[in-house]
Amino acid sequence: MNFLEERILKDGIVKQGNVLKVDSFLNHQMDIELMDMIGKEFYRRFKDGGVTKVLTIEASGIGIACSVAREFGVPMIFAKKAKSINLDGEMYVAEVESFTHQNKNNVIVSKKFLSPTDRVLIIDDFLANGCALQGLISIAESSGATVVGLGIAIEKGFQIGGKIIRNLGYHLESLAIIESMDAENGTVQFKQSALV
Ligand code: 5GP
């Protein structure tokens, strides 16, 4: 079992509706040492990709993406949830359906921060149905940039997102892949750890 899987077992809380709460260490209160370990692990996995930008989505991807970007020594960009539909053409836009909030948002990235020479590593905290990642892929590719890969902290392997992204041919790496979880007794089962 790797460091993230151990932490999930220790501090993660399984909620009804296939939601895992990790807000005591990952996406509300954040354990910065853990963030650094995640950053280093994604660097190890993607270091040969010539990454020039790290891309995530607000809000909960930002902390992890910062740690990853620091390891690569490149800027981190986060897609913002657009408040207005009055977008001025200077933005790449994608529609993303939120798994946790069950609503749809336009997310935007300013055109000045992505270009065809960029090699983008996409990072997020969770992968469920894959909407967030597909939105980020669409934004990166609209700019002509290359998507080097996608790094996820926690993939819920029993939901469809991982299969969709891998079937599209992208290099997807998840640090913890949950095979099943049970809100009744609070148990979490992982797919075999890929971390040595
Ligand atoms: P997807 O777009 O893949 O369906 O969902 C990914 C997004 O939903 C992530 O950015 C994450 O913020 C949120 N999310 C999905 N599942 C969970 C979950 O079980 N727990 C938490 N805390 N967030 C989740």
Side-chain angles (χ1 to χ4, degrees), residues 75-86:
M76 186 278 282
I77 306 163
F78 63 93
K80 293 184 169 203
K81 287 169 188 154
K83 303 218 168 23
S84 129
I85 48 161
N86 205 2

Side-chain angles (χ1 to χ4, degrees), residues 57-59 62 78-88 91-95 103-109:
I57 184 166
E58 73 173 355
I62 294 176
F78 63 93
K80 293 184 169 203
K81 287 169 188 154
K83 303 218 168 23
S84 129
I85 48 161
N86 205 2
L87 302 167
D88 60 7
M91 305 281 178
Y92 298 114
V93 186
E95 190 178 67
N103 60 3
K104 284 185 184 174
N105 278 302
N106 278 320
V107 297
I108 55 169
V109 169

Side-chain angles (χ1 to χ4, degrees), residues 18-23 27 57 60-61 96-100 124-133 156 159 161 181:
N18 283 334
V19 171
L20 178 69
K21 266 195 104 138
V22 289
D23 61 351
N27 58 17
I57 184 166
S60 53
V96 171
E97 192 169 344
S98 164
F99 174 80
T100 35
D124 206 2
D125 59 342
F126 271 93
L127 173 55
N129 292 325
C131 294
L133 288 191
K156 292 189 292 181
Q159 290 183 253
M181 55 188 202

